[in-house]
Amino acid sequence: SAVISQKPSRDICQRGTSLTIQCQVDSQVTMMFWYRQQPGQSLTLIATANQGSEATYESGFVIDKFPISRPNLTFSTLTVSNMSPEDSSIYLCSVVGRTYGYTFGSGTRLTVV
Amino acid sequence: GEDVEQSLFLSVREGDSSVINCTYTDSSSTYLYWYKQEPGAGLQLLTYIFSNMDMKQDQRLTVLLNKKDKHLSLRIADTQTGDSAIYFCAERSDQAGTALIFGKGTTLSVSS
């Protein structure tokens, strides 16, 4: 399966600021996704990162709040903009290759104070 | 629509078998997955099953799929304290653009 490097692993941020999370994969993958896991909750899909075009967002998530880039087949970024304490969560990158195995990054633990 | 349901907690004694259940609603799901999340850690893929299979076994893990009832189960034989974690059921739904849809997770507690 693919190996994902997700950075930063954790951060504490001031409200009103923005944080960009990076996801680097060691091989070309067909699909890349961004999820959020709020404390004690399951994973919620934020968006599908599309290579070379705008991401596809799920209901309740908008581009202005969570801009996503995917300049190539192995790299994507998620920005959490104008943060508030409600954005405190774990953010996870996920990729899928040819064998239908979905691999997840180790996550970014974000605390907004 | 897509929805994945799991019971929230399961408590077993070491050496017993654990059975974690999951139901899903999207009949077009092609693959179903089980992930394990230990405290403070990321998601570890345990196993997955294709929708045209009834059963898949991998060492201590057995996955049973009842497609008619849209019911999936994960059986862990000889449960160990190291199996204590949250177990997530997930479905791959074409309606969701191939992303995985997760259940809320079952917390497995193994006592010695």
Side-chain angles (χ1 to χ4, degrees), chain A residues 21-51:
Chain A
I21 303 167
Q22 298 182 356
C23 177
Q24 177 72 56
V25 192
D26 69 343
S27 59
Q28 293 186 350
V29 292
T30 53
M31 306 290 288
M32 295 180 80
F33 306 96
W34 287 98
Y35 286 84
R36 180 175 73 182
Q37 186 178 23
Q38 293 178 299
Q41 301 295 315
S42 185
L43 282 77
T44 301
L45 179 66
I46 297 172
T48 302
N50 300 309
Q51 192 259 327

Side-chain angles (χ1 to χ4, degrees), chain A residues 31 35 37 42 100 102 109, chain B residues 33 35 37 40 92 98 100 103:
Chain A
M31 306 290 288
Y35 286 84
Q37 186 178 23
S42 185
Y100 294 104
Y102 288 71
R109 295 176 180 274
Chain B
Y33 298 80
Y35 284 86
Q37 187 177 41
R92 177 186 181 273
T98 73
L100 294 185

Side-chain angles (χ1 to χ4, degrees), chain A residues 15-108:
Chain A
R15 67 177 68 199
T17 64
S18 298
L19 176 71
T20 295
I21 303 167
Q22 298 182 356
C23 177
Q24 177 72 56
V25 192
D26 69 343
S27 59
Q28 293 186 350
V29 292
T30 53
M31 306 290 288
M32 295 180 80
F33 306 96
W34 287 98
Y35 286 84
R36 180 175 73 182
Q37 186 178 23
Q38 293 178 299
Q41 301 295 315
S42 185
L43 282 77
T44 301
L45 179 66
I46 297 172
T48 302
N50 300 309
Q51 192 259 327
S53 65
E54 193 172 286
T56 305
Y57 290 85
E58 297 301 304
S59 176
F61 298 96
V62 294
I63 187 171
D64 290 345
K65 176 67 176 177
F66 298 102
I68 288 171
S69 78
R70 190 181 174 191
N72 56 52
L73 291 174
T74 63
F75 184 77
S76 178
T77 66
L78 167 74
T79 299
V80 186
S81 303
N82 188 25
M83 289 183 283
S84 66
E86 291 72 32
D87 294 320
S88 297
S89 289
I90 301 173
Y91 292 85
L92 297 113
C93 168
S94 173
V95 304
V96 58
R98 298 179 201 164
T99 59
Y100 294 104
Y102 288 71
T103 304
F104 284 80
S106 54
T108 297

Side-chain angles (χ1 to χ4, degrees), chain B residues 38-62:
Chain B
E38 297 182 69
L43 283 168
Q44 175 193 355
L45 175 63
L46 289 176
T47 187
Y48 62 90
I49 188 168
F50 188 46
S51 60
N52 69 352
M53 297 170 64
D54 298 324
M55 185 182 82
K56 182 178 181 181
Q57 187 157 1
D58 183 3
Q59 299 181 337
R60 291 192 297 125
L61 304 179
T62 302

